[in-house]
Every structure is written in C-alpha cells, then in structure tokens.
Amino acid sequence: MLTDFNHLNLPDDYIYFTKNRKKIKKASGGIVVIYRKSLEKKLKFYNTESQFVLWFQISKSILSLNSDVIFGCVYVPPENSKYSTIEAFEELENELNILTNTENCNIALVGDFNSKTGSLPDYIIPDESVVSMFDLDCDADILEYLYDFENLIQNKISLQRVSQCTCRPNKYGHRLLELCRKNNLYIANSRVGSDKDIGEKTCNDSSVVDYLIISSMLFPMIFYFEIDDFIPLYSDGMHLCILDFRQH
C-alpha cells in the first residue's frame, strides 16, 4: 500500500502524483497517476480534500479541443467495508462542481466506484410540456443543459446501455447515476470501443463497478476503450480499463 513515504521505481521518463488516505493510522492505499515527463507542463494537479478522488487537468492542446479536460481518478470503497460512506459521492460531486465553476472544461471520471448500475439510464429526457409550460425553451443555456444527451445521438452513440452484470443496482449505483444525470455525464462502458454493446464485467467476473464516465463532447475523442483481462500485478480482482484518446 502507498504511503507518503513510499517511492515508486519507474522508468526514467515517467513520474507520478499520489493522493493517500489520511484518516487511517496504518498504510491503507490511495490513488496514483503515472505519466510521462514530457507531459508535465500539460498537466495540472489539484490538491483537494476528498480522499476518494484525485483531480488533474489535461491541456486542451494535447487533444486539440476547445477546452481543457479535468480528469477525476476515483476509488470508492465497497458499500459494506469499514471505509465505506455514501458521502463519498457527495464529496466527489461537490469538488466536481467547484472545479467546473472555475474552469471551462470537459469532464472525465475513471476508476472503481463500487457502484452497480445495471443498464439503468444515466440521462433524463425532458418532458416537452414542462419545458413549454415554464418557458424554459426561451433560455439557450437551459436548453443546452436539458438536451445535452442529444450530443450522443448526433455522434451515433447509443443512449441505451447494456451490461453483462446481472446484479441488482446497489445504493452506490443509484447515487452514481444521480450524479451523472445532474451533471450531464455519461457512462462510456458498453457504448464505445471493443466494449460497445457488451458491457463487460470488471470485478471478479461477476459485476461491473469500474467505469469511464465522460462529458458528451468527449465521445468523438475516444480512439480506443477496452475492458482487459485481470492482472494481479495491478489489481486485487479488478480488470483493467484501457483508454486511448484520439490526438490531432
């Protein structure tokens, strides 16, 4: 397990940034981001309070976007563990809102959320009568927010998700879906890459709890996405999510 005193032995052209658990007396894990030294000036790491997410910003110049991308690398402990707390999602969403209010950016969340969502929708289609009744169609910003899901349709991304997981959605799963719907974020699993129309299991060949979750405008930028085989060196039961963004 990582502590503030650990040092990772990496190839010379790689460096890393970590966030370790602070409230536990003994070494009990954390989150680490490893990246090439050549990208050092293109990345900006944020020091935030939540122990469940490590935030960093990727310069828009790398992906030739109109705005930067803020990544959140997430680990939420399992529901029934001694480290579990439903407040993890509140902390995650609060920090997400703070960062997006100060930065004009796209969002990507990736990691182990220990959330079982099945194939429940991560979006809401607004009621046209309600939109008209309250004259919401007169405000361009509100319309953009309400109909953000149409960006998926325009990019030929299925609104309907599928999943090989037959587990019932858990409390964490419902909370994660709520976060997605409120912030116009979408689960990429089963929608892109080699996992398209599959929804491969990510945990011990029994459930889907690891996700890539992104802003709608990032879908065209995904060049490759795969749920790879379980490798003990990197995980204690989780499969690897391999992601490659298209660069111009």
Side-chain angles (χ1 to χ4, degrees), residues 37-244:
K37 286 183 179 179
S38 60
L39 296 175
E40 187 170 11
K41 294 183 179 180
K42 302 289 186 179
L43 303 181
K44 174 184 176 183
F45 287 88
Y46 295 93
N47 288 310
T48 62
E49 291 297 322
S50 177
Q51 64 180 335
F52 305 110
V53 57
L54 190 164
W55 299 100
F56 65 97
Q57 182 185 87
I58 298 180
S59 171
K60 59 187 177 183
S61 63
I62 294 180
L63 301 175
S64 298
L65 291 171
N66 293 325
S67 58
D68 298 329
V69 179
I70 290 183
F71 260 87
C73 296
V74 177
Y75 176 69
V76 178
E79 272 189 343
N80 298 318
S81 77
K82 62 181 179 180
Y83 305 116
S84 67
T85 170
I86 194 66
E87 294 177 359
F89 292 92
E90 182 177 352
E91 290 182 18
L92 174 60
E93 187 168 11
N94 286 342
E95 293 191 349
L96 170 65
N97 289 332
I98 291 171
L99 292 174
T100 53
N101 283 337
T102 57
E103 306 279 359
N104 178 25
C105 57
N106 291 293
I107 297 294
L109 304 176
V110 62
D112 180 0
F113 295 80
N114 273 298
S115 301
K116 299 173 183 177
T117 63
S119 56
L120 294 177
D122 51 2
Y123 60 92
I124 295 177
I125 297 179
D127 187 319
E128 297 285 354
S129 61
V130 174
V131 172
S132 177
M133 181 186 304
F134 291 98
D135 293 326
L136 299 178
D137 50 358
C138 296
D139 189 311
D141 289 336
I142 291 179
L143 285 178
E144 182 179 4
Y145 171 79
L146 291 176
Y147 291 94
D148 182 82
F149 69 91
E150 291 186 345
N151 289 322
L152 273 68
I153 299 173
Q154 293 173 7
N155 287 298
K156 299 181 180 179
I157 303 296
S158 174
L159 286 180
Q160 179 62 47
R161 295 188 300 119
V162 297
S163 177
Q164 296 296 312
C165 176
T166 57
C167 306
R168 293 182 60 182
N170 61 2
K171 184 185 298 184
Y172 280 9
H174 287 291
R175 185 62 184 86
L176 179 60
L177 290 169
E178 179 185 345
L179 182 150
C180 290
R181 294 167 188 148
K182 288 170 61 178
N183 295 280
N184 282 336
L185 297 174
Y186 306 90
I187 295 171
N189 302 52
S190 86
R191 284 180 167 139
V192 295
S194 64
D195 195 45
K196 184 176 181 180
D197 298 324
I198 296 176
E200 189 67 54
K201 297 171 184 175
T202 67
C203 177
N204 294 322
D205 293 322
S206 62
S207 60
V208 179
V209 295
D210 305 86
Y211 299 94
L212 170 65
I213 301 173
I214 59 177
S215 302
S216 62
M217 300 307 292
L218 288 181
F219 275 98
M221 303 304 300
I222 295 179
F223 176 71
Y224 185 80
F225 177 75
E226 177 184 3
I227 307 299
D228 203 2
D229 294 333
F230 164 59
I231 301 177
L233 176 64
Y234 297 113
S235 173
D236 58 358
M238 305 300 175
H239 292 239
L240 290 178
C241 296
I242 300 177
L243 169 67
D244 187 7

Side-chain angles (χ1 to χ4, degrees), residues 1-9 16 18 20 27-29:
M1 296 295 183
L2 283 174
T3 72
D4 291 334
F5 302 102
N6 286 135
H7 178 75
L8 298 181
N9 293 317
Y16 65 93
T18 64
N20 303 316
S28 59

